[in-house]
Amino acid sequence: DQQVKQNSPSLSVQEGRISILNCDYTNSMFDYFLWYKKYPAEGPTFLISISSIKDKNEDGRFTVFLNKSAKHLSLHIVPSQPGDSAVYFCAAVNYGGSQGNLIFGKGTKLSVKP
Amino acid sequence: ETGVTQTPRHLVMGMTNKKSLKCEQHLGHNAMYWYKQSAKKPLELMFVYNFKEQTENNSVPSRFSPECPNSSHLFLHLHTLQPEDSALYLCASSHGLAGGRSTDTQYFGPGTRLTVL
């Protein structure tokens, strides 16, 4: 059973508009969450993270929101740019496990159209 | 440039072959990881090395054998693989913490695309 779920395999957004990527998790022991971006033929690149003691973390055009009661987090990209087109992975750290036990979602492919 | 390099980028091997994947990180990190990404599946953690010691083996079959000679290099030795082992193998590194638990951001290499015939 997947502990981290990204239910939308793809998302298409117009340039300049907001992109919202969603992620749900089931394990209440997760207390640190990360978003990675992946271009074709490259490895995932760390984008932004959030600790469970926060509900929002912002870095430039990227903002991650965490709703612990709903076990839901989202990544907002504003304004979206064509260069943001990539696959976005949500990941969670399981403090109940060992170091490095990042649990990843399957990813959402974002396409930003000019 | 992520600071984590992997060679080869592509590898095709038969089921009786022995090959090795190499990962090198130039970030001064102390922890290194192997992940597997199969088609339409999430990334799966395989092994973790923290300060050259293996701290995690995520129930990986023995036909995959990791080696970490120092904090900058990580190998994955492959022997008698199966076609279902065909996947993208990603290496990552992080600062690592002595306590073994952290909010330790991992940085990934570009991966090795492995095909087992």
Side-chain angles (χ1 to χ4, degrees):
Chain A
D1 184 35
Q2 270 195 277
Q3 298 185 65
V4 177
K5 299 178 183 178
Q6 293 178 258
N7 292 319
S8 298
S10 63
L11 175 68
S12 183
V13 171
Q14 204 68 33
E15 180 180 7
R17 306 296 286 268
I18 184 171
S19 295
I20 301 176
L21 298 107
N22 293 305
C23 179
D24 297 294
Y25 61 96
T26 58
N27 190 340
S28 58
M29 296 299 291
F30 290 146
D31 53 7
Y32 194 69
F33 305 88
L34 307 91
W35 283 95
Y36 283 84
K37 177 169 76 171
K38 185 180 185 300
Y39 294 117
E42 294 182 14
T45 303
F46 170 72
L47 191 58
I48 192 169
S49 62
I50 188 167
S51 167
S52 61
I53 61 173
K54 296 185 176 182
D55 55 17
K56 176 183 175 181
N57 188 26
E58 189 174 354
D59 183 3
R61 296 185 298 113
F62 303 90
T63 304
V64 57
F65 295 92
L66 176 63
N67 182 335
K68 282 186 292 181
S69 61
K71 294 191 179 69
H72 176 83
L73 65 155
S74 60
L75 174 68
H76 292 211
I77 307 174
V78 180
S80 301
Q81 300 173 353
D84 295 328
S85 297
V87 178
Y88 289 79
F89 293 97
C90 170
V93 170
N94 177 9
Y95 272 115
S98 303
Q99 177 198 358
N101 198 7
L102 280 179
I103 309 297
F104 283 85
K106 290 186 177 181
T108 297
K109 184 176 182 180
L110 174 66
S111 299
V112 180
K113 299 183 178 181
Chain B
E1 175 59 57
T2 64
V4 181
T5 58
Q6 290 185 244
T7 55
R9 294 294 307 274
H10 299 271
L11 178 62
V12 180
M13 59 187 289
M15 290 190 286
T16 58
N17 291 157
K18 288 184 182 181
K19 296 287 184 183
S20 296
L21 309 185
K22 178 183 176 182
C23 175
E24 184 173 0
Q25 59 93 3
H26 312 275
L27 300 169
H29 289 164
N30 292 301
M32 297 188 78
Y33 312 79
W34 279 117
Y35 285 86
K36 175 184 177 182
Q37 185 175 27
S38 304
K40 301 191 187 301
K41 288 186 178 180
L43 274 76
E44 298 171 278
L45 180 67
M46 299 175 73
F47 300 104
V48 180
Y49 278 83
N50 193 24
F51 293 86
K52 298 189 295 181
E53 298 295 323
Q54 188 179 132
T55 57
E56 183 85 9
N57 177 337
N58 202 20
S59 303
V60 181
S62 59
R63 57 186 183 270
F64 295 91
S65 174
E67 179 190 359
C68 188
N70 55 61
S71 292
S72 299
H73 294 86
L74 184 66
F75 295 90
L76 188 62
H77 303 299
L78 315 172
H79 177 49
T80 59
L81 295 193
Q82 304 297 312
E84 58 264 30
D85 296 323
S86 299
L88 179 68
Y89 289 85
L90 288 158
C91 172
S93 71
S94 70
H95 286 292
L97 290 182
R101 308 220 175 141
S102 71
T103 57
D104 202 20
T105 301
Q106 296 177 25
Y107 296 86
F108 285 83
T112 295
R113 174 68 63 186
L114 174 67
T115 303
V116 182
L117 301 177

